[in-house]
Amino acid sequence: MISHQDIPALIQDACSEHPSWSRAAGRLMSIAENSSTETAHLLAALTNAAEPRIVLGITGAPGSGKSSLTNSLITAFRQQYPERRIGVIAIDPSSPFSGGALLGDRVRMMNHADDPLVFIRSSATRGNMGGITLGTLGVLRVMGLIGCDLVIIETVGVGQSEFEVIEIADMTAVVLAPGQGDTIQFLKAGLMEVGDLFIINKADSPDAERYCTEVANALRYLASAKGSLEIVQPFLVSARLNTGILQLLEHIEIFSQREQANWLCKRRAKMHARIKRVIFEEARKQIEAAFEAIAYTDPIDHIITGQSTVATVIDRLVKQLASQIR
Ligand SMILES: Nc1nc2c(ncn2[C@@H]2O[C@H](COP(=O)(O)OP(=O)(O)OP(=O)(O)O)[C@@H](O)[C@H]2O)c(=O)[nH]1
Ligand SMILES: [Mg+2]
């Protein structure tokens, strides 16, 4: 068991050049995720720690190549910036959609396992409040502590997790690939709206060009529907052949420099959205639990027999619920 008294020594260790640094960093990340009293101590101790310069969220359909692309980006980043550290948080191995993707992700990124300037963290989503959000935020702070310049958060683009990731990331890349479902489907799922950057992976496959045009059209349509003048062009890359990756990294850098002035503002707005969502989630759970506990058959009978109106019954039930919630 780690106690909060161990935290200063772990922090010191994680920042050192001693071989145990990565183990110490991993233990700090576990504390950050566990949502215990130690978590609060850790976050307090990290208040002044540097934050990663760029937090890039990568989302997209299962199998579109997010892990392969992350792996290529790590290689390109390490070539481009030999002195800088890069962190990866691979989220959602427990998702039924990813079918044990954790192992695959690990294998795909394994060729960086011995590089001290690459830190890879697999983060399981738990059923806790806020899902990935709160724990991952702490993990990010530890990534900042150990000097990660760029942090990539990879998530499975199904369900809630991609929207949570967007609340944490400074920029979000949506990875699409030919044969991974049609663009209309992604439009419907809202994926297109959340991306700052669209990457069409598997450029080496025969219908990649056609698919890229299809996505470009969908993005143009979305931009005009929103009245936006800025049209985002999809990026065609192949993680397998390593084509377009350096240009992609350059683009990420340019985007981050352009947006950096707004990031504090953006981070604030995202924090607001995040806190609001977590509170609403918690409130909903409490309301549901309270609702199960109250007897509402009598009032319903009163409606049916005409003794009460729906509005008065609802009004009374809402007041009753509100009085029961802490
Ligand atoms: N042809 C081709 N195949 C690729 C490319 N990139 C990845 N793949 C293949 O696509 C499959 C899925 O790749 P992953 O990187 O695991 O995809 P992912 O999006 O991380 O998958 P999940 O984590 O399960 O959602 C693997 O079989 C890869 O070898 C590419 O550029 N071209
Ligand atoms: Mg993956």
Side-chain angles (χ1 to χ4, degrees), residues 119-150:
F119 193 93
I120 297 169
R121 172 81 185 174
S122 298
S123 202
T125 63
R126 307 229 162 79
N128 62 356
M129 216 197 330
I132 63 168
T133 316
L134 300 179
T136 310
L137 211 56
V139 172
L140 264 181
R141 291 212 73 96
V142 181
M143 289 277 185
L145 173 80
I146 61 172
C148 290
D149 181 60
L150 168 67

Side-chain angles (χ1 to χ4, degrees), residues 70-80 86 111-112 242:
T70 302
N71 190 36
S72 305
L73 277 171
I74 298 172
T75 309
F77 183 87
R78 294 289 295 113
Q79 276 168 5
Q80 204 77 342
I86 177 168
N111 38 350
H112 301 287
N242 247 333

Side-chain angles (χ1 to χ4, degrees), residues 157-267:
V158 186
Q160 192 53 33
S161 59
E162 72 272 25
F163 296 103
E164 294 192 24
V165 138
I166 288 147
E167 285 171 7
I168 296 174
D170 295 316
M171 58 190 291
T172 301
V174 176
V175 182
L176 303 164
Q180 292 288 324
D182 63 76
T183 41
I184 304 299
Q185 210 179 313
F186 290 114
L187 276 174
K188 277 197 194 145
L191 259 188
M192 293 289 199
E193 263 125 333
V194 300
D196 296 300
L197 194 64
F198 293 87
I199 303 169
I200 313 293
N201 187 34
K202 311 196 184 182
D204 53 288
S205 66
D207 42 357
E209 293 278 351
R210 185 194 52 76
Y211 185 69
C212 193
T213 312
E214 204 178 292
V215 173
N217 289 340
L219 289 174
R220 202 170 308 120
Y221 167 78
L222 259 190
S224 72
K226 279 196 298 189
S228 164
L229 293 177
E230 194 182 1
I231 293 168
V232 185
Q233 286 295 340
F235 241 88
L236 190 57
V237 306
S238 166
R240 178 167 290 172
L241 302 182
N242 247 333
T243 52
I245 307 294
L246 271 178
Q247 293 87 329
L248 175 62
L249 189 63
E250 210 172 288
H251 185 82
I252 291 168
E253 190 62 44
I254 292 168
F255 183 93
S256 84
Q257 279 172 16
R258 200 186 67 195
E259 295 286 310
Q260 213 125 42
N262 299 326
W263 276 3
L264 187 60
C265 210
K266 256 175 124 178
R267 280 181 186 179

Side-chain angles (χ1 to χ4, degrees), residues 60-69 97-99 101-102 104-105 108 154-157 175 180 201-205 237-242:
S64 52
K66 299 178 294 295
S67 300
S68 310
L69 190 68
F97 298 101
S98 61
L102 175 62
D105 286 349
R108 249 155 236 137
E154 182 202 331
T155 182
V156 171
V175 182
Q180 292 288 324
N201 187 34
K202 311 196 184 182
D204 53 288
S205 66
V237 306
S238 166
R240 178 167 290 172
L241 302 182
N242 247 333

